Amino acid sequence: MTREELFAKREQKLKEKRMRRLMVIGGIIAALLLVFLIVRIATGRVSKKPGADSSVKTTEQTGASAGTTVSRTTETQSTAGTQGSTETAGTAQGVTETPAAQMTDETVSADDTAVKGTTDYTAEGINGWNDSGSGRWYKTAEGQQYMSGWKTLDGSRYFFKADGFAATGWEMADDGNMYYFNEDGTWDSTQKQKLVALTYDDGPSWNTDLILDVLGQYNAKATFFVVGVNQADFYTSELLREYNEGMEIANHTYEHVILSKSDGDTITHQISANDELIKSLTGYDMTLLRAPGGGTNDTVHEFVNKPLIQWDVDTLDWQTRDAANTLATIKEQVRDGSVILMHDLYQATAEATVDIVPTLYHMGYKMVTVSELAEAYGYTLENGVEYYSFYPEESPDPEIRAAHGGQA
């Protein structure tokens, strides 16, 4: 799905939500008026001409309801999620026929996962490799083509996408990992995927849906550090979507209280109250904490009952509110094992994510949760300990450290 399509869907969903809420509020107002009339009749105080006081009260009630509606609908813009890759199947135009003499060895390998099928352009090609404006594809002796998996041809490994074209550049294969393929489609085993954790604070909010839409397109995961009051308890559908789509939900305190300025009882309450709220809404037990503002001290270390997750890439999105700046900061500072700080409270951050996710994907980064990143690179998370990054070359595991250029 293109950037324009994402935003168009977002606007359409906003209009639909507005209409539904107006209908609900209209029904509520009508029901209240009916109850009011019934009560007046029952008490024998019905007046043919309502007085000024009655009119004023009705207007005030209606205004209050409308105000609530405007506030919520303004903040609940979202986009219907579209998961999966958006690669477009190529056409048969510009097909360059490969001589039949160059037919390659189709010997089946135990590691092959590709299936055989046909597309709109299969009949146009000849047996063996074919080239078109959309890429290379392979026609089998049975008149089909390989798609959706790995295939060994003439001793080289290829990954065919769902549209039948051989992958080039960085591509996520069917095992969920990233692999690099040369321009001719051959797998380059010397190139290794990198891992990064995208994190979003202060949500959920009306921007969360757009972020989830983009993550879903690239099979990417993120960690959302959520606030309880006025966020998780208000944007419950967005919170549930995070949970249902396999994102990591983590604690950002119940009321966004600065823990480094709080006593032990307050720290304990802010963490436990948020734990209980999220548990009641999703059934999920949060295991990570990010202190608001990242502020910690000895008291925080003593009273928190979770690992403290900081960051090594600070986008300053809360300050700049500029999507281009957020993207540029990430491209400049990201490295294997980074933890990126953003906030889904801001529309500019959601819009930046539309570009951030595909950019990192094509840079060879697999986007994972904080817990997945720590585990993959051999870090054991401990309560009360701060973690800024999970660089593999600094891993506690000597084998992981050596494999990524660190000291054995």
Side-chain angles (χ1 to χ4, degrees):
M1 183 176 292
T2 65
R3 179 189 183 94
E4 291 73 19
E5 288 172 333
L6 281 168
F7 290 142
K9 279 181 174 277
R10 184 187 199 184
E11 292 302 319
Q12 180 61 33
K13 191 169 183 180
L14 173 61
K15 292 178 182 178
E16 292 173 357
K17 282 191 175 183
R18 283 175 175 162
M19 183 60 66
R20 287 197 299 269
R21 291 186 181 280
L22 287 173
M23 292 174 64
V24 170
I25 289 192
I28 292 173
I29 293 174
L32 289 174
L33 289 174
L34 179 60
V35 171
F36 176 75
L37 288 174
I38 291 173
V39 172
R40 296 283 286 180
I41 291 172
T43 57
R45 293 183 294 170
V46 176
S47 175
K48 293 183 180 180
K49 295 182 180 181
D53 184 59
S54 174
S55 175
V56 169
K57 288 182 179 180
T58 302
T59 302
E60 290 173 350
Q61 292 170 358
T62 304
S65 299
T68 302
T69 305
V70 171
S71 175
R72 173 58 172 155
T73 54
T74 300
E75 295 182 355
T76 54
Q77 302 180 54
S78 62
T79 306
T82 303
Q83 297 185 357
S85 176
T86 57
E87 296 152 346
T88 305
T91 64
Q93 296 180 356
V95 173
T96 302
E97 295 188 350
T98 302
Q102 296 184 16
M103 182 76 175
T104 57
D105 178 16
E106 294 185 44
T107 303
V108 177
S109 168
D111 297 327
D112 288 348
T113 58
V115 298
K116 295 179 182 179
T118 59
T119 64
D120 293 341
Y121 51 87
T122 305
E124 302 295 330
I126 64 171
N127 292 352
W129 284 106
N130 292 266
D131 293 286
S132 74
S134 298
R136 301 186 76 205
W137 55 280
Y138 188 90
K139 187 172 182 179
T140 70
E142 299 92 343
Q144 297 177 300
Q145 62 185 108
Y146 292 116
M147 55 184 62
S148 301
W150 289 94
K151 180 61 185 175
T152 300
L153 296 168
D154 284 344
S156 294
R157 297 283 282 163
Y158 299 85
F159 184 80
F160 291 91
K161 298 178 290 185
D163 58 12
F165 289 102
T168 58
W170 285 102
E171 187 75 25
M172 181 174 287
D174 46 10
D175 63 355
N177 290 314
M178 300 289 290
Y179 297 88
Y180 185 81
F181 300 89
N182 298 313
E183 290 186 6
D184 64 355
T186 54
W187 170 42
D188 184 350
S189 61
T190 66
Q191 300 286 336
K192 304 297 183 183
Q193 75 171 357
K194 300 177 285 290
L195 301 179
V196 64
L198 300 178
T199 67
Y200 296 88
D201 289 7
D202 296 350
S205 78
W206 65 281
N207 296 300
T208 306
D209 273 333
L210 178 57
I211 293 171
L212 292 172
D213 288 343
V214 182
L215 292 172
Q217 280 190 312
Y218 291 86
N219 196 25
K221 302 300 180 185
T223 299
F224 291 85
F225 289 89
V226 301
V227 174
V229 173
N230 295 326
Q231 301 301 139
D233 62 353
F234 192 71
Y235 297 97
T236 306
S237 62
E238 289 83 354
L239 176 71
L240 286 171
R241 187 180 170 195
E242 291 174 358
Y243 174 72
N244 291 331
E245 295 185 8
M247 305 300 161
E248 183 170 41
I249 303 173
N251 201 319
H252 201 45
T253 74
Y254 188 60
E255 298 169 294
H256 203 267
V257 168
I258 303 300
L259 299 183
S260 57
K261 297 181 180 180
S262 304
D263 58 27
D265 289 341
T266 301
I267 293 171
T268 299
H269 169 71
Q270 286 295 316
I271 297 172
S272 62
N274 207 26
D275 280 344
E276 292 169 7
L277 174 64
I278 302 307
K279 175 75 170 181
S280 69
L281 295 174
T282 67
Y284 178 73
D285 292 309
M286 296 185 292
T287 59
L288 304 179
L289 171 73
R290 174 172 285 160
T296 62
N297 54 25
D298 291 342
T299 305
V300 173
H301 292 158
E302 178 182 354
F303 283 90
V304 298
N305 59 348
K306 306 180 191 301
L308 287 158
I309 307 302
Q310 303 284 24
W311 57 87
D312 67 317
V313 178
D314 189 350
T315 63
L316 295 176
D317 60 331
W318 62 272
Q319 185 177 70
T320 66
R321 312 287 178 90
D322 183 278
N325 184 79
T326 299
L327 173 63
T329 300
I330 291 174
K331 289 173 64 177
E332 179 182 351
Q333 298 183 19
V334 68
R335 55 184 283 193
D336 196 3
S338 281
V339 177
I340 300 174
L341 171 64
M342 292 181 283
H343 301 76
D344 53 328
L345 198 61
Y346 305 112
Q347 181 175 342
T349 300
E351 293 174 352
T353 301
V354 174
D355 294 319
I356 290 168
V357 173
T359 296
L360 290 173
Y361 183 98
H362 293 300
M363 290 172 66
Y365 283 96
K366 180 179 180 181
M367 287 154 274
V368 298
T369 67
V370 169
S371 293
E372 289 171 336
L373 178 60
E375 181 180 3
Y377 285 155
Y379 289 80
T380 300
L381 300 177
E382 300 179 11
N383 294 345
V385 178
E386 298 182 52
Y387 299 89
Y388 289 82
S389 60
F390 301 94
Y391 302 143
E393 66 272 21
E394 298 176 2
S395 170
D397 186 319
E399 292 185 5
I400 295 176
R401 199 164 59 240
H404 289 81
Q407 294 182 350

